[in-house]
Amino acid sequence: MNAQLIQPDVSFIREVRAAGGSDLKKCFQCATCSVVCDLSPDDAPFPRKQMIAAQWGLKDQLLCDPAIWLCHNCGSCTTQCPRGARPGDVMAALRQLAIRNFAFPGFMGRLVANPKALPVLFLVPALVLLAIILWVPKGPATPELEFANLFPVVAVEALFFTVSTLAAIAFLVGVIRYLKALRMCCPGILLNFPPVSAEIVTHERFAQCNTNQGVRWGHFLVLWGFLGLASVGTTIGIGTMAGILRTPLPWGSALKILANVCAAGVLTGAVILIRERTVNQARRAASTYFDWLFLGTLTAVVFTGILLQFFRLAQVAYLMYPVYFVHLVLTLALLLYAPYSKFAHLAYRTVAMASTEPWKPKRKPRRLSEQGAKHCVDFYS
Amino acid sequence: MTAGKPILVLGGGIAGMTAAIEAAEAGCEVVLIEKAPYLGGRVARTHLYFPKLCPPACGLEVNFKRLRNSSRIKILTQAELVELSGSAGDYAATVKIAPRYVTSACTMCGACADLCPAQRPDEFNYGLSKTKAAYLPFAMAFPDTYVIDRPSCKEACTACADACKYGAVDLSQTERRETLQVAAVVAATGWAPYDAARIDGLGYGRFKNVITNAIMERLAAPNGPTGGKIVRPSDGKAPREVVFVQCAGSRDENHLPYCSTVCCAASLKQAAYVRAQHPDSKVAIFYIDVRTSGRLEDFYASVAADPNIGLIKGKVAKVEEDAATGDLVVRAEDVLHGKQIALHADLVVLATGIVPQTQGLPAGFTVDDYGFVGNGKAGLYPAGCARRPEEVSASVEDATGAALRAFQCVVRSAHHG
Amino acid sequence: MVKKLGVYICSGCGIGDSLDTEKLAKVATRESKIPLCKVHPFLCGAEGAGIIRKDLADGAVNTVVIAACSPRVKTDVFVTGQEACPTLLERVNIREHVAWSHTAKDEDTGMLAADYLRMGIAKARKCEPLEPVSETISKKLLVVGGGITGVTAALAAAEAGYEAVLVEKQPQLGGFVATLKKRFPAAAPYAEPTADGFPEQVQAATYHSKIQVFTSARILKTAGQPGMFDVTIETPAATTEVRVGAIVMATGWKPYDASKLPHLGYGVSPDVITNVDFERMASAGNIARPSDGKPAASVLFVQCAGSRDKDHLPYCSSVCCLATLKHATYIREQNPEALVYIVYKDMRTPGLHERFYRAAQDHPLNFLTKGEVTSVGSAPDGKLAVTVGQTLIGESIELRVDLVVLATGMVPVSADGILNLTYRQGPDLPVLKHGFPDSHFVCFPYETRRTGIYAAGAVRAPMDSVRAGEDGLGAAMKAIQSVELAARGQAVHPRAGDTSFPSFFMQRCTQCKRCTEECPFGALDEDEKGTPKPNPYRCRRCGICLGACPERIVSFKNYSVDMVASMIKAIEVPEEDEEKPRVLVFMCENDAYPALDVAGFQRLRYDPGVRVIPLRCLGSLNIVWIADALSRGIDGVMLIGCKFGDDYQCHFIRGSELADRRMENVKETLQRLQLESERLELTQLAINEYGKLPELINGFMERIRKMGPNPYKGL
């Protein structure tokens, strides 16, 4: 057999350590992590193998390893790791690095991951919006205070359409890069989409994950609430552009109700997840800038969205307009950076899940007497 | 040598006994105190030693004989050090001695136990069996004198005293204190097995057929609770598939952050017990690293050569029970093959580690971050497993060295005082 | 000395219920014509013991036979201690071996007790008071080897008031440890290698007033025995003879010869070095490739290079994993960016050293995997190409590195003319296994097969420097103890305190050399003709020489061929028609005998046709006893001794094995006499196998019954 030449990627090891996997070198390969993980498949257990691959800087192998996405980050492995090597954190770091690695354009990945760039991240949409306020001509003032008085609807919709398109392109390129890395052809993956979709609908794997059920429902609410909001937003956007709808929508409209329900869902879910990340000591320690950036932005988007609705209702101009501005900055940031932030796991995890078979149940126990005690290679066999 | 003050040895296990005997045969006076009513400590509860698979009683018998023949050793059992003051060469030690209720007139005829109406859990067998309240700790116990566990007696019962023809039972004994002038102290306070119930997921304390290696020693020993039969606690059946779980608590930041040194060889030894007793049995040993240093490697090689003993690299993180049958499923990753493994087992043995015992250790000794005893003030020397996790031979070496350190204090104090 | 025997029979502990003690007393008074025989219901009580003491004090008796419990118990009451009543006390075990293990009031039980009493009396009649040997004993110690073990041993002995002679072959003290850059962490938190205080210890030993140091020295000859070893030491300056009492052999280790490891690239490329080379390189301050002197930017450590390998060293060298982790930290000091690979079989960092493993492992550029290095060759870029199989990251991987370090193991320096003993059995300490010169490494790790000579440090077992230093302490303690016991004329372990000595009736010696060959401790030398030259202080009193001698010329005052023969003669052998077979059982008194005591304590029953004679060691069995027994009509002879072979349990190393070998000869004799060889059986029994004894004994009795009576009965 030809020996595989191994050349550790030293900078990758440093990146993993910097991205939250600082204890990775402590792992001594006992595989407690793989066993306590309820999602770890029988024939390709994780995260023990990923730990040693990361220790050895085997970047190419790791970034295309679907296993890093199969982990739902419950933290059991980290809690029970006898060495304090925190495998859960290492897996999270690997996911972050994967997003950064496949990012298009690449600099955006690095920018979003860099805490120092945080002001820039928000300054860019803020400046764009300021420019709209300053330079885009507004329509006639409405009797009631309306957001259109600050930002013309057309301008906002155009802006969001552009940003969404950019994000979609970035996502597409990222996913294609990922698929190339996976060396998988699309049809195979497509076949796996039904079970993946079912999983996304039910969040069944979160239930298997031996974490508390809060995370499952938190994530469920956030995901579905967000998708709901995104659909409503898109519908409204298209509707207004086509002239079918006019904002603000009346209170009783189905879309409005749906939007509020979804917003409430996201907010509830987000609170659950934030609580989980702050109250649970192990999780708090495991939470990185990368995690907080996404969760914080998303929560803030929904929170400001709800808030500004009230302010509009109360017709308080000095609250209503600034909050709207902030809301738009946050929403733009969320969308613009989606392919590079933790948001991107939506795409990568879906593809990863479709590219593998993570749903195999735990195999039935085998008997020593049936298979012989020497079935495993050991030093003296 | 010039006679000097005695050496005080704390602990009558293999380390303490060795320190006492080696110093005494060199001419020192020694006071050996032990909190149990018998000498031999953990070693006395061990079925066979690795790697020779020979009974500890063989070496203990020689040591007991040396103790009997030495007029220089004073042995106080059921005794604890309560206070120590002074400095090297000139310590004053106050020792508290609990009543044994049986005097040295005891002939070991056993009449007291025969007529005793009360029972007590036998701590020698980790509570797996019972003895009478009047009992001999084990057949070859030394001192060879019965003991009465008074708290276990029926109220105001004097059956044992009435039964004894030799006036050896004295129920009026009370706790007494003795102050000794000693030149040096050797602390050989030993170890206890790690409490396996604290390890989540391995099921000890919840599943009957999950036992510890300490209990396995008792099951295998002819003087144990089953008369030497290795059987499942749940139903008394012979186990056909036995799984050993290494590092149950050891090498674990959440439990014992050090390696207990002896458990790998101990499990190999116990695998050999199982195989010798049940020829149709199969054994799997799950490990992180097999640590059989020095000549123990030969032993590893010979045990591993048994086609019915398999060694699997991977730490067991979960044990599940079928409540109906008491059968177990052991889950680990077979690291060398990169597959999850779920093995059925009739009996699971947890290789629990060594926790240093420092109860009753006088101030002046240092205890490190991990609970092990370090060198203390001049004249205070630790030995054996209280000092570091180690096998019997290393404890004996350690204790012999500590005896010399103490001996130096005796010599110096004899010259100066 | 005119023997005045007194027989004291205890009827307590159920003895009186089982036996007719008055009838038993008549065995003493009527048969054996011993006027003084007393029966007491509680002989070990104050009153009972007082009677004996009084009779002794009054001069009514000077030799006491006590028929009561096992000689293993009540030793503080029936004092057999050397000072008080050295030889003239004989214990007859009618409790554990009779009353507790046989049917009460049964005729056979009574016969058994009577025989035991007869045997005890017979033995007591032959016993003579000990005449302790007393010579001028040197209490000076010789420490061979000036490494950490030897230096620690010499210093510790000196601090305890004993003079020491320290012999080192190198020009200066310190040994391997003195060449180390750093040592393994020795205290919490065990995270960093330490530079330590060993140089100060070396200084202290060099200038200590009680330590005489010989460097660049070797030992030409070691003659004599404990308490009086005469050692000839040669240095470039002079040849000196010193007299010492005991010896600590701390000759250390040498690295395994890496030239035997060409498959790991040693000798193939200069860039493949050993861990000892690496240590030297790091101490000198520059870790570089030997081939071109360039700094090593990547280093691969091969663990178990030669160790744990049946073709090289079958044992684990214990320290190499730690040494490699330490070496990894050396590399970090010089080049934080260097890549360090460690390929191990199992990481062995026992005890608190686990902390060091964790700390040393935790560097971004340390790469560890389990694996087997399958080849080391050159890569096109001038680096070394190392292929590793069965790794945790792939079935077969290749790594390119600047330097390969083989973690070679420790080979004990135990032979090759170290002590140059003038012993008949050779100049070196005999080894147990793999060149390690010990004898009972679990229970009594310092014991060797040469009395008064104790091995310590890496010569005794692979160990790190901290352990080696401590081992020096332990061995020094044993050496001190040995000279102190010698000064009192007492034996060392395992018969510590015994003051008996074998004497040799040389006129009858046929120079057959069996005793000099068989003594496990090499106590006997020989003259040119082959006559044994005893060295009493080397003797461990096992009596193996006594068993070996076909001329029966070896005897102790309290243990002799004649004594046992008279015990055999004292057994009453029933006539053939009585159908009461008799079997003589020779038992090791250290293990089998206590086991039979436990069987009695547990009231296990066995055939009362057996008559047990305890022996100091089964190796002291003289085959004449078997002939005596069979010629007297005894139907069979059982020998029960310790397990022998590689994992022997015999306290005297080879006793039971020698007895077994002698049996081969006896069986031939039996066949010549037309006696079934099955009338003789040797069994190996461990002390905890007391539960097997009844079955063992009964089974043999059964076979004897089937065979029928000994035809020599009544002849």
Side-chain angles (χ1 to χ4, degrees):
Chain A
M1 186 183 12
N2 274 338
Q4 177 198 358
L5 183 65
I6 299 282
Q7 285 166 313
D9 185 330
V10 172
S11 59
F12 179 72
I13 297 167
R14 296 212 157 101
E15 281 171 357
V16 176
R17 283 163 62 95
S22 57
D23 291 313
L24 108 136
K25 282 283 177 170
K26 295 190 178 116
C27 165
F28 61 11
Q29 292 285 294
C30 72
T32 296
C33 47
S34 299
V35 183
V36 298
C37 176
D38 289 322
L39 300 180
S40 173
D42 286 347
D43 291 329
F46 63 80
R48 196 268 310 162
K49 283 182 194 172
Q50 289 67 28
M51 287 298 284
I52 194 163
Q55 284 183 326
W56 279 68
L58 307 182
K59 179 180 173 180
D60 296 339
Q61 179 185 323
L62 279 167
L63 294 183
C64 65
D65 184 349
I68 65 173
W69 294 106
L70 300 183
C71 161
H72 283 28
N73 204 13
C74 72
S76 291
C77 53
T78 294
T79 320
Q80 295 194 45
C81 173
R83 203 64 163 169
R86 308 188 66 88
D89 296 4
V90 173
M91 293 293 270
L94 291 172
R95 288 190 289 272
Q96 184 186 336
L97 294 181
I99 292 171
R100 205 189 302 175
N101 181 70
F102 298 121
F104 169 80
F107 77 88
M108 282 299 290
R110 291 190 291 278
L111 200 69
V112 173
N114 187 354
K116 286 186 192 137
L118 183 65
V120 182
L121 294 189
F122 291 98
L123 201 60
V124 170
L127 289 176
V128 171
L129 288 167
L130 265 182
I132 291 173
I133 296 173
L134 294 177
W135 290 308
V136 177
K138 297 173 189 69
T142 51
E144 282 201 351
L145 297 177
E146 275 186 28
F147 296 119
N149 295 340
L150 189 63
F151 295 109
V153 171
V154 179
V156 170
E157 296 301 346
L159 180 61
F160 273 83
F161 179 75
T162 314
V163 166
S164 303
T165 311
L166 285 177
I169 292 168
F171 258 124
L172 196 65
V173 176
V175 167
I176 288 169
R177 284 178 173 179
Y178 181 41
L179 287 170
K180 267 192 185 160
L182 284 175
R183 282 182 200 84
M184 291 270 301
C185 52
C186 293
I189 288 195
L190 288 177
L191 288 179
N192 274 333
F193 265 104
V196 173
S197 313
E199 159 57 27
I200 293 171
V201 171
T202 59
H203 274 51
E204 200 48 49
R205 283 171 62 76
F206 276 99
Q208 284 169 27
C209 213
N210 55 7
T211 176
N212 64 48
Q213 290 297 299
V215 174
R216 180 192 187 185
W217 295 116
H219 192 271
F220 181 89
L221 288 171
V222 168
L223 174 67
W224 286 108
F226 178 80
L227 291 177
L229 284 176
S231 325
V232 171
T234 312
T235 313
I236 294 171
I238 293 168
T240 44
M241 296 295 269
I244 304 162
L245 294 172
R246 192 199 171 278
T247 52
L249 297 174
W251 289 106
S253 82
L255 278 176
K256 189 86 181 169
I257 292 167
L258 182 62
N260 273 304
V261 169
C262 289
V266 174
L267 197 62
T268 315
V271 167
I272 293 172
L273 295 180
I274 289 170
R275 198 174 171 278
E276 170 69 18
R277 281 192 181 275
T278 48
V279 174
N280 180 329
Q281 199 124 32
R283 295 280 299 210
R284 187 167 62 208
S287 299
T288 59
Y289 163 74
F290 195 70
D291 296 319
W292 284 121
L293 178 66
F294 170 58
L295 188 55
T297 310
L298 179 66
T299 313
V301 164
V302 180
F303 183 67
T304 52
I306 293 170
L307 212 56
L308 60 86
Q309 228 182 151
F310 286 113
F311 294 149
R312 181 173 66 79
L313 204 61
Q315 292 286 302
V316 190
Y318 66 91
L319 286 174
M320 176 180 143
Y321 291 120
V323 171
Y324 183 53
F325 179 79
V326 170
H327 176 71
L328 287 188
V329 170
L330 289 166
T331 314
L332 271 181
L334 187 69
L335 290 181
L336 190 58
Y337 309 133
Y340 323 109
S341 73
K342 198 178 172 185
F343 200 134
H345 77 279
L346 188 77
Y348 292 109
R349 176 170 288 160
T350 308
V351 174
M353 283 181 8
S355 73
T356 182
E357 267 190 292
W359 294 287
K360 235 188 205 172
K362 291 270 180 188
R363 196 176 291 163
K364 268 178 62 180
R366 295 180 290 180
R367 282 178 172 271
L368 276 171
S369 47
E370 283 159 12
Q371 62 192 110
K374 280 277 182 259
H375 70 108
C376 293
V377 176
D378 61 65
F379 181 65
Y380 282 105
S381 62
Chain B
M1 64 163 287
T2 347
K5 290 196 189 98
I7 294 168
L8 176 64
V9 178
L10 309 179
I14 191 68
M17 269 168 55
T18 301
I21 293 168
E22 300 299 353
E25 285 180 4
C28 283
E29 296 295 318
V30 178
V31 181
L32 174 62
I33 70 169
E34 162 60 45
K35 69 171 193 281
Y38 57 90
L39 301 187
R42 300 278 163 197
V43 157
R45 299 201 231 177
T46 301
H47 172 42
L48 300 176
Y49 281 144
F50 58 74
K52 287 170 71 174
L53 298 178
C54 55
C58 170
L60 280 178
E61 175 72 12
V62 169
N63 281 332
F64 291 162
K65 196 175 182 179
R66 289 164 80 189
L67 284 172
R68 281 189 197 107
N69 287 346
S70 177
S71 54
R72 294 185 176 85
I73 305 176
K74 173 173 171 173
I75 299 164
L76 298 173
T77 50
Q78 295 177 284
E80 281 173 69
L81 181 66
V82 285
E83 207 190 318
L84 185 77
S85 59
S87 58
D90 187 25
Y91 281 107
T94 307
V95 178
K96 180 178 80 178
I97 305 138
R100 190 182 187 99
Y101 301 108
V102 181
T103 69
S104 59
C106 172
T107 66
M108 293 217 300
C109 73
C112 54
D114 287 345
L115 294 175
C116 173
Q119 285 196 317
R120 61 184 278 282
D122 187 1
E123 113 293 334
F124 188 77
N125 285 331
Y126 298 98
L128 298 172
S129 62
K130 290 191 162 170
T131 69
K132 294 290 186 64
Y135 69 102
L136 188 71
F138 59 103
M140 300 185 86
F142 185 83
D144 35 17
T145 306
Y146 274 69
V147 196
I148 291 160
D149 180 9
R150 205 62 184 132
S152 301
C153 290
K154 296 200 187 302
E155 215 184 313
C157 173
T158 58
C160 49
D162 303 340
C164 185
K165 288 185 204 160
Y166 310 109
V169 176
D170 176 5
L171 296 175
S172 69
Q173 281 184 357
T174 51
E175 182 188 293
R176 62 192 179 88
R177 280 169 191 247
E178 212 173 290
T179 299
L180 309 156
Q181 302 300 320
V182 298
V185 182
V186 174
T189 45
W191 62 282
Y194 185 69
D195 177 9
R198 294 170 66 175
I199 311 164
D200 286 342
L202 298 185
Y204 180 78
R206 286 184 290 135
F207 308 149
K208 276 189 174 169
N209 295 328
V210 176
I211 63 171
T212 65
N213 47 2
I215 287 174
M216 181 56 129
E217 288 300 324
R218 297 315 304 140
L219 289 182
N223 63 353
T226 55
K229 289 201 180 74
I230 299 169
V231 293
R232 305 201 326 161
S234 71
D235 52 16
K237 281 188 192 149
R240 291 192 62 232
E241 294 166 336
V242 181
V243 169
F244 288 85
V245 177
Q246 296 311 107
C247 295
S250 300
R251 301 183 72 187
D252 192 330
E253 301 295 307
N254 302 315
H255 300 281
L256 302 176
Y258 50 84
C259 160
S260 293
T261 311
V262 301
C263 332
C264 283
S267 288
L268 290 166
K269 172 187 76 170
Q270 295 185 345
Y273 294 172
V274 172
R275 292 283 307 125
Q277 205 172 101
H278 304 303
D280 61 344
S281 62
K282 303 208 184 259
V283 174
I285 302 174
F286 286 89
Y287 65 91
I288 306 173
D289 293 285
V290 178
R291 292 185 164 174
T292 45
S293 290
R295 272 177 279 183
L296 295 178
E297 187 68 15
D298 289 349
F299 181 59
Y300 171 22
S302 71
V303 173
D306 182 337
N308 290 304
I309 295 176
L311 288 120
I312 302 164
K313 185 172 168 68
K315 184 171 153 86
V316 172
K318 260 189 224 174
V319 177
E320 290 150 14
E321 187 199 38
D322 177 343
T325 59
D327 289 4
L328 303 156
V329 174
V330 176
R331 294 193 186 274
E333 183 189 339
D334 174 357
V335 170
L336 298 183
H337 295 89
K339 310 269 189 219
Q340 298 271 18
I341 178 162
L343 267 189
H344 172 273
D346 298 317
L347 186 67
V348 169
V349 185
L350 306 183
T352 55
I354 283 175
V355 182
Q357 294 301 287
T358 51
Q359 251 187 324
L361 198 72
F365 278 101
T366 56
V367 175
D368 74 12
D369 301 350
Y370 313 105
F372 289 96
V373 186
N375 276 326
K377 284 172 30 179
L380 307 182
Y381 308 104
C385 283
R387 180 165 177 245
R388 67 181 160 213
E390 58 192 4
E391 70 270 26
V392 171
S393 57
S395 285
V396 170
E397 291 151 31
D398 206 18
T400 311
L404 181 53
R405 291 265 187 238
F407 183 90
Q408 292 171 345
C409 291
V410 175
V411 172
R412 277 187 222 118
S413 73
H415 285 308
H416 299 157
Chain C
M1 167 180 151
V2 181
K3 286 272 177 72
K4 282 191 250 175
L5 262 70
V7 174
Y8 300 87
I9 300 169
C10 183
S11 63
C13 292
I15 296 171
D17 303 331
S18 174
L19 299 169
D20 182 343
T21 47
E22 291 307 323
K23 197 171 155 196
L24 193 60
K26 283 177 189 145
V27 172
T29 51
R30 299 248 174 101
E31 262 183 48
S32 305
K33 310 286 183 222
I34 293 169
L36 197 151
C37 178
K38 294 178 181 173
V39 178
H40 192 275
F42 183 22
L43 199 59
C44 64
E47 190 191 73
I51 293 169
I52 303 173
R53 256 199 312 276
K54 186 168 180 300
D55 288 348
L56 278 167
D58 292 349
V61 296
N62 60 13
T63 302
V64 173
V65 176
I66 292 171
C69 45
S70 164
R72 290 172 57 253
V73 298
K74 293 293 173 194
T75 49
D76 49 338
V77 182
F78 307 127
V79 180
T80 57
Q82 301 304 320
E83 293 88 353
C85 185
T87 59
L88 306 182
L89 176 107
E90 181 58 27
R91 302 273 302 263
V92 176
N93 187 348
I94 56 167
R95 188 177 76 166
E96 283 86 344
H97 289 192
V98 182
W100 283 1
S101 38
H102 300 284
T103 314
K105 300 288 181 199
D106 188 78
E107 185 197 7
D108 289 335
T109 309
M111 291 170 95
L112 177 62
D115 269 352
Y116 277 154
L117 187 57
R118 287 180 195 113
M119 290 156 81
I121 291 168
K123 188 177 174 199
R125 282 194 163 132
K126 299 275 178 181
C127 271
E128 285 170 53
L130 296 180
E131 288 163 16
V133 178
S134 162
E135 303 219 25
T136 311
I137 295 298
S138 166
K139 292 191 179 178
K140 197 185 269 188
L141 307 186
L142 170 71
V143 178
V144 187
I148 189 159
T149 312
V151 164
T152 314
L155 264 182
E159 292 295 308
Y162 293 81
E163 285 183 74
V165 177
L166 183 52
V167 175
E168 166 58 44
K169 69 174 175 216
Q170 296 295 327
Q172 68 286 321
L173 295 180
F176 182 70
V177 175
T179 70
L180 295 177
K181 183 175 156 74
K182 285 183 184 174
R183 292 165 68 190
F184 305 151
Y190 298 93
E192 305 250 333
T194 57
D196 76 313
F198 185 54
E200 291 81 59
Q201 263 186 290
V202 171
Q203 284 297 305
T206 309
Y207 298 110
H208 201 290
S209 62
K210 283 188 181 284
I211 302 176
Q212 191 183 358
V213 178
F214 290 89
T215 49
S216 303
R218 69 189 187 102
I219 292 169
L220 294 182
K221 188 173 85 172
T222 303
Q225 51 184 325
M228 49 193 101
F229 284 115
D230 291 313
V231 185
T232 312
I233 302 164
E234 182 196 60
T235 63
T239 301
T240 319
E241 186 164 299
V242 293
R243 170 161 280 211
V244 297
I247 300 172
V248 172
M249 188 169 114
T251 43
W253 61 283
K254 56 188 179 197
Y256 184 67
D257 180 5
S259 68
K260 292 178 186 163
L261 305 168
H263 63 290
L264 298 178
Y266 194 84
V268 176
S269 161
D271 297 334
V272 179
I273 62 174
T274 69
N275 47 0
V276 176
D277 299 334
F278 185 87
E279 184 76 44
R280 206 172 293 140
M281 194 191 264
S283 292
N286 186 27
I287 300 167
R289 286 165 34 124
S291 61
D292 54 11
K294 285 189 189 148
S298 51
V299 183
L300 183 138
F301 290 88
V302 182
Q303 295 312 105
C304 301
S307 298
R308 302 181 65 188
D309 185 333
K310 61 179 172 11
D311 300 326
H312 298 281
L313 300 178
Y315 54 87
C316 158
S317 293
S318 298
V319 300
C320 328
C321 285
L322 287 162
T324 290
L325 292 171
K326 182 184 75 170
H327 291 161
T329 67
Y330 290 173
I331 296 171
R332 293 290 157 240
E333 285 171 19
Q334 185 182 321
N335 180 5
E337 294 302 307
L339 307 186
V340 176
Y341 301 94
I342 300 173
V343 178
Y344 60 83
K345 287 178 180 169
D346 291 280
M347 277 307 282
R348 292 187 169 171
T349 52
L352 277 315
H353 288 309
E354 185 70 14
R355 306 308 302 163
F356 181 44
Y357 174 19
R358 186 169 182 265
Q361 180 189 17
D362 193 17
H363 186 282
L365 305 184
N366 285 352
F367 305 96
L368 283 77
T369 182
K370 182 180 168 83
E372 293 279 331
V373 171
T374 49
S375 74
V376 178
S378 325
D381 54 2
K383 293 189 178 228
L384 293 162
V386 183
T387 49
V388 190
Q390 296 166 45
T391 74
L392 301 176
I393 52 172
E395 260 309 294
S396 179
I397 63 169
E398 182 184 323
L399 297 163
R400 303 246 168 113
V401 293
D402 289 333
L403 188 65
V404 168
V405 182
L406 305 182
T408 52
M410 300 179 123
V411 179
V413 182
S414 55
D416 313 326
I418 306 264
L419 295 176
N420 290 310
L421 297 167
T422 59
Y423 285 34
R424 182 245 180 266
Q425 288 184 3
D428 299 313
L429 285 190
V431 300
L432 178 63
K433 220 173 185 185
H434 311 318
F436 297 110
D438 46 12
S439 62
H440 283 108
F441 74 95
V442 182
C443 290
F444 306 106
Y446 293 111
E447 296 302 333
T448 65
R449 289 179 52 190
R450 294 293 175 259
T451 309
I453 306 176
Y454 300 95
V459 70
R460 201 176 60 69
M463 62 178 78
D464 67 48
S465 64
V466 171
R467 285 285 291 272
E470 291 170 5
D471 211 36
L473 285 182
M477 174 86 267
K478 293 299 296 184
I480 290 170
Q481 189 189 78
S482 153
V483 295
E484 290 295 342
L485 286 165
R488 299 200 290 266
Q490 295 179 341
V492 298
H493 171 95
R495 295 183 61 85
D498 190 347
T499 53
S500 66
F501 281 97
S503 63
F504 294 74
F505 187 67
M506 292 302 182
Q507 287 93 320
R508 283 224 320 270
C509 174
T510 60
Q511 284 103 12
C512 74
K513 301 182 186 178
R514 278 182 213 170
C515 58
T516 61
E517 277 165 11
E518 291 192 355
C519 174
F521 306 102
L524 300 160
D525 290 336
E526 265 168 30
D527 67 10
E528 314 77 56
K529 283 188 268 171
T531 313
K533 285 164 62 186
N535 294 280
Y537 286 88
R538 291 184 202 164
C539 175
R540 305 274 185 103
R541 294 34 166 200
C542 57
I544 284 176
C545 49
L546 178 158
C549 182
E551 294 299 317
R552 291 162 277 161
I553 70 162
V554 189
S555 57
F556 293 78
K557 298 276 185 197
N558 54 357
Y559 188 59
S560 67
V561 176
D562 184 32
M563 223 173 276
V564 175
S566 62
M567 289 168 83
I568 296 168
K569 217 166 152 185
I571 298 169
E572 259 188 11
V573 183
E575 293 300 316
E576 195 178 324
D577 53 8
E578 286 182 61
E579 291 187 356
K580 286 188 187 297
R582 286 290 174 263
V583 162
L584 187 61
V585 186
F586 289 107
M587 264 189 180
C588 160
E589 70 174 23
N590 307 294
D591 289 64
Y593 190 91
L596 195 64
D597 271 5
V598 175
F601 177 74
Q602 299 192 329
R603 310 299 197 271
L604 303 179
R605 294 286 153 118
Y606 51 86
D607 197 299
V610 291
R611 302 291 180 265
V612 172
I613 296 181
L615 302 181
R616 288 188 175 189
C617 172
L618 206 60
S620 69
L621 176 109
N622 194 304
I623 56 174
V624 76
W625 296 333
I626 293 168
D628 285 355
L630 294 173
S631 65
R632 289 211 58 234
I634 284 175
D635 300 279
V637 179
M638 282 182 93
L639 312 177
I640 308 183
C642 301
K643 305 211 167 169
F644 52 82
D646 281 348
D647 287 332
Y648 63 79
Q649 294 175 20
C650 174
H651 293 290
F652 301 101
I653 326 288
R654 303 164 62 207
S656 48
E657 190 179 349
L658 288 168
D660 187 59
R661 215 185 294 160
R662 285 175 207 152
M663 283 318 97
E664 295 308 312
N665 306 333
V666 183
K667 287 202 173 174
E668 284 168 28
T669 317
L670 291 187
Q671 272 156 350
R672 247 194 339 268
L673 293 171
Q674 295 196 315
L675 275 175
E676 300 85 344
S677 64
E678 291 78 18
R679 289 192 185 271
L680 190 58
E681 205 171 278
L682 185 142
T683 309
Q684 299 169 59
L685 186 94
I687 193 166
N688 65 338
E689 293 176 322
Y690 42 79
K692 290 185 183 168
L693 272 167
E695 197 188 316
L696 197 66
I697 289 170
N698 296 343
F700 186 71
M701 289 298 295
E702 199 47 47
R703 289 193 289 281
I704 290 293
R705 281 203 176 84
K706 280 201 187 122
M707 255 175 257
N710 178 349
Y712 291 90
K713 224 180 256 287
L715 287 182

